[in-house]
C-alpha cells in the first residue's frame, strides 16, 4: 500500500513593513506590523464630565507615552511574549506581520465619533502562528487588545507586553505633576484600583483570567 504523504509545515509568511496611524479625538497612535507593536501614542485629552479635558505634558506641546529611544533588544509596547519559549518570542518580535482589516493604502485612519475599526496582525511560520487584534472606537478613550498563539497544533499561553517605561516622555524629574504616576485597573466585578507607581515592582502584574463575553 502506498505510504501516506507527510504533512508539510506551512511556509513562513513574508510581509513588508507597514506603519499604521489611528487618530481619535483623544489620541493618535502609531502601530507597526514589525512585531505588531505600538511605536508612538500621543494623548491630547481624556473624557471628563461629558467633555474632553486637555492633557499637558511636563514639557513641550505633545504628551508622548512611548519612549522613542528604545534599544533593539528591548520589547516594544504590545509585543507578544511566549513565556514557554524565548526563541519563539524573539521570532515574533522580529517578524513582519500581515495586516488584516485595512485597505492596501489605508495607512492613515481617522475614527469619527461612533466609528469602529478592528485591525488584526497575523504571522505564520512552520513553528508558530500568532494573531493580535486591536479594536478601536472613535469616541472611546479605551481600546481592546486580544492575542493568541498556536504551536504544534495547540493553543499556547501568550502574554502582551505593556511597556517599557510608558508615560510622559518629557517628564525628567520627580514631582513634575501634582499627582504621581499610578497604575489604574478595573476588575470584572466593577472594583477599581489605583496604585502609586512607586509601589509597583517587577513582576508588575499577572492576568489570571480574561472575560471575553463582554
Amino acid at each position: 500500500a502506498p505510504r501516506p504523504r507527510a504533512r508539510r509545515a506551512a511556509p513562513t509568511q513574508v510581509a513588508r513593513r507597514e506603519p499604521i496611524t489611528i487618530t481619535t479625538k483623544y489620541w493618535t497612535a502609531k502601530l507597526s506590523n514589525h512585531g505588531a507593536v505600538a511605536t508612538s501614542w500621543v494623548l491630547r485629552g481624556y473624557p471628563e464630565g461629558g467633555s474632553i479635558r486637555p492633557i499637558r505634558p511636563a514639557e513641550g506641546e505633545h504628551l508622548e507615552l512611548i519612549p522613542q529611544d528604545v534599544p533593539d533588544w528591548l520589547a516594544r509596547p504590545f509585543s507578544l511574549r511566549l513565556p514557554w519559549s524565548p526563541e519563539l518570542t524573539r521570532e515574533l518580535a522580529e517578524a513582519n506581520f500581515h495586516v488584516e482589516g485595512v485597505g492596501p493604502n489605508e495607512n492613515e485612519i481617522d475614527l469619527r465619533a461612533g466609528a469602529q475599526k478592528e485591525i488584526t496582525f497575523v504571522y505564520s511560520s512552520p513553528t508558530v502562528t500568532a494573531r493580535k487584534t486591536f479594536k478601536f472606537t472613535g469616541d472611546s478613550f479605551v481600546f481592546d487588545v486580544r492575542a493568541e498563539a498556536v504551536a504544534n497544533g495547540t493553543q499556547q499561553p501568550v502574554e502582551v507586553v505593556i511597556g517599557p517605561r510608558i508615560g510622559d516622555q518629557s517628564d525628567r524629574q520627580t514631582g513634575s505633576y501634582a499627582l504621581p504616576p499610578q497604575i489604574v485597573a478595573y476588575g470584572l466585578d466593577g472594583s477599581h484600583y489605583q496604585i502609586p507607581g512607586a509601589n509597583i515592582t517587577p513582576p508588575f502584574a499577572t492576568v489570571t483570567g480574561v472575560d471575553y463575553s463582554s
Side-chain angles (χ1 to χ4, degrees):
R3 295 181 180 180
R5 293 184 179 180
R7 179 182 297 179
R8 292 184 178 181
T12 300
Q13 294 183 347
V14 179
R16 61 184 180 88
R17 291 200 185 194
E18 296 183 54
I20 300 174
T21 300
I22 303 97
T23 299
T24 73
K25 60 184 179 181
Y26 299 114
W27 41 257
T28 296
K30 294 182 179 180
L31 306 178
S32 172
N33 70 319
H34 184 67
V37 298
T39 59
S40 173
W41 209 288
V42 175
L43 287 183
R44 292 190 299 276
Y46 64 92
E48 183 178 76
S51 61
I52 300 177
R53 179 173 178 175
I55 298 178
R56 306 297 183 196
E59 298 177 2
E61 300 179 0
H62 305 291
L63 199 162
E64 172 64 72
L65 292 182
I66 296 179
Q68 301 299 294
D69 56 351
V70 178
D72 292 338
W73 54 267
L74 199 58
R76 265 56 171 183
F78 303 116
S79 60
L80 297 180
R81 178 175 177 269
L82 308 181
W84 47 276
S85 177
E87 293 78 12
L88 292 183
T89 296
R90 191 177 309 112
E91 179 179 337
L92 294 178
E94 297 173 353
N96 288 347
F97 285 61
H98 281 274
V99 185
E100 298 178 352
V102 297
N105 298 314
E106 192 180 11
N107 298 110
E108 302 281 340
I109 301 170
D110 190 359
L111 286 182
R112 305 293 182 180
Q116 289 189 341
K117 190 69 173 179
E118 188 168 286
I119 302 174
T120 300
F121 295 89
V122 183
Y123 172 75
S124 182
S125 76
T127 51
V128 64
T129 296
R131 298 176 64 91
K132 184 191 306 176
T133 299
F134 293 85
K135 185 177 181 180
F136 304 102
T137 304
D139 50 1
S140 176
F141 187 68
V142 299
F143 59 95
D144 296 330
V145 181
R146 296 186 182 185
E148 64 178 359
V150 175
N152 299 320
T154 305
Q155 194 158 353
Q156 303 290 342
V158 61
E159 300 172 351
V160 177
V161 177
I162 305 298
R165 198 166 55 87
I166 286 184
D168 183 356
Q169 297 305 305
S170 70
D171 186 13
R172 305 301 181 190
Q173 59 182 346
T174 303
S176 297
Y177 293 91
L179 294 175
Q182 296 181 344
I183 302 297
V184 180
Y186 293 88
L188 296 177
D189 59 355
S191 54
H192 176 220
Y193 306 90
Q194 289 184 243
I195 308 171
N199 294 345
I200 303 297
T201 56
F204 299 117
T206 299
V207 176
T208 58
V210 179
D211 181 9
Y212 288 112
S213 62
S214 58

